[in-house]
């Protein structure tokens, strides 16, 4: 039986580049991949990221950024696919690091869940 592929999200606070968290990444014809995970690094201690994992996206939380930094980040996105996670005062959206589930949204909600957890095989 073929193993089902899953997409996982890893929260790495205080990001200062892949090296600061113990990741070496490499560009290949078919995408960007984790080439190496340094032993005892923050990434290794999570047990989530493994060598050979493809990096398909990144979530950047704006809670500690200045408006100029946010503007600069959004302006550098170019013509790439961007998903915005929006919070409205009083809504029940999960905080950074929490999982998005369909129960978060009311039946009359117009929000779209872009990435839901996949069941483990």
């Amino acid at each position: 039986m073929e193993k089902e592929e899953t997409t996982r999200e890893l929260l790495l606070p205080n990001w200062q580049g892949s090296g600061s968290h113990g990741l070496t990444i490499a560009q290949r014809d078919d995408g960007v991949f984790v080439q190496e995970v340094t032993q005892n690094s923050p990434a290794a201690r999570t047990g989530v990221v493994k060598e050979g994992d493809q990096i398909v996206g990144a979530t950047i939380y704006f809670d500690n950024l200045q408006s100029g930094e946010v503007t600069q980040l959004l302006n550098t996105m170019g013509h790439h696919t961007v998903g915005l996670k929006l919070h409205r005062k009083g809504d029940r959206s999960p905080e950074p690091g929490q999982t998005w589930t369909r129960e978060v949204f009311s039946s009359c909600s117009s929000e779209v869940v872009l990435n839901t957890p996949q069941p483990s095989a």
Side-chain angles (χ1 to χ4, degrees), residues 45-112:
R45 285 192 296 271
T46 67
V48 174
V49 62
K50 304 287 184 203
E51 294 175 11
D53 285 349
Q54 183 176 11
I55 301 172
V56 295
T59 302
I60 301 170
Y61 296 98
F62 293 167
D63 55 342
N64 292 317
L65 296 178
Q66 299 294 318
S67 62
E69 293 173 306
V70 172
T71 300
Q72 183 180 8
L73 280 168
L74 292 175
N75 286 336
T76 62
M77 295 298 118
H79 298 285
H80 302 286
T81 301
V82 174
L84 297 179
K85 190 181 292 184
L86 306 175
H87 179 84
R88 181 170 293 137
K89 188 173 182 170
D91 77 8
R92 299 181 313 145
S93 300
E95 295 300 317
Q98 292 180 320
T99 304
W100 288 87
T101 60
R102 295 202 182 275
E103 291 78 36
V104 169
F105 304 104
S106 68
S107 59
C108 62
S109 174
S110 62
E111 289 96 344
V112 176

Side-chain angles (χ1 to χ4, degrees), residues 1-41:
M1 176 181 259
E2 187 175 315
K3 187 176 179 180
E4 182 180 334
E5 293 183 15
T6 60
T7 301
R8 300 167 312 281
E9 184 171 356
L10 173 64
L11 184 63
L12 295 169
N14 302 314
W15 180 259
Q16 296 176 7
S18 59
S20 70
H21 288 280
L23 296 175
T24 302
I25 59 175
Q27 175 73 46
R28 299 191 330 213
D29 289 342
D30 53 345
V32 177
F33 292 83
V34 175
Q35 182 175 340
E36 182 181 354
V37 181
T38 306
Q39 280 187 326
N40 299 318
S41 67

